[in-house]
Amino acid sequence: VWVDARSDPAFREDRIPGAVPLNEDRWESLIGGFIAVWRPGLRVVVYCDSQECDASQHVALRLRRELSIDEVYVLSGGWSEWQKAQSK
């Protein structure tokens, strides 16, 4: 499951196909959308804007702590690296 930890405007502008929004600003209102697509055994990959962005780290930590999901990863380099990889 791809999780987009960026701001709502950034998510609306563009995202990894199939990603669900989940950011700390609107955690309570967005967590239900994540829960609707996640199932035990699925890996979760969280991303934000870039390597300098900490939002994905915070969201990943909350998913581990609050939902006890073990397989939560952070996409190294975030959205900007994913875009670069897609243009190759």
Side-chain angles (χ1 to χ4, degrees):
V1 176
W2 288 103
V3 174
D4 190 322
R6 298 174 306 146
S7 68
D8 292 337
F11 179 81
R12 283 191 298 270
E13 184 177 316
D14 203 2
R15 63 195 158 276
I16 294 175
V20 295
L22 183 59
N23 58 53
E24 292 213 282
D25 292 339
R26 294 193 326 111
W27 180 270
E28 295 302 322
S29 63
L30 295 173
I31 192 67
F34 168 79
I35 291 170
V37 299
W38 179 78
R39 298 288 176 264
L42 289 179
R43 289 185 183 127
V44 177
V45 181
V46 185
Y47 67 93
C48 55
D49 285 319
S50 66
Q51 192 70 33
E52 291 79 35
C53 176
D54 289 334
S56 57
Q57 297 287 345
H58 295 291
V59 168
L61 182 61
R62 284 187 80 169
L63 288 170
R64 287 184 197 109
R65 285 184 180 168
E66 295 179 23
L67 277 70
S68 300
I69 300 173
D70 293 327
E71 291 197 73
V72 179
Y73 306 93
V74 173
L75 179 62
S76 180
W79 172 245
S80 60
E81 285 299 316
W82 189 85
Q83 285 182 303
K84 286 179 196 174
Q86 299 310 302
S87 64
K88 290 182 180 179

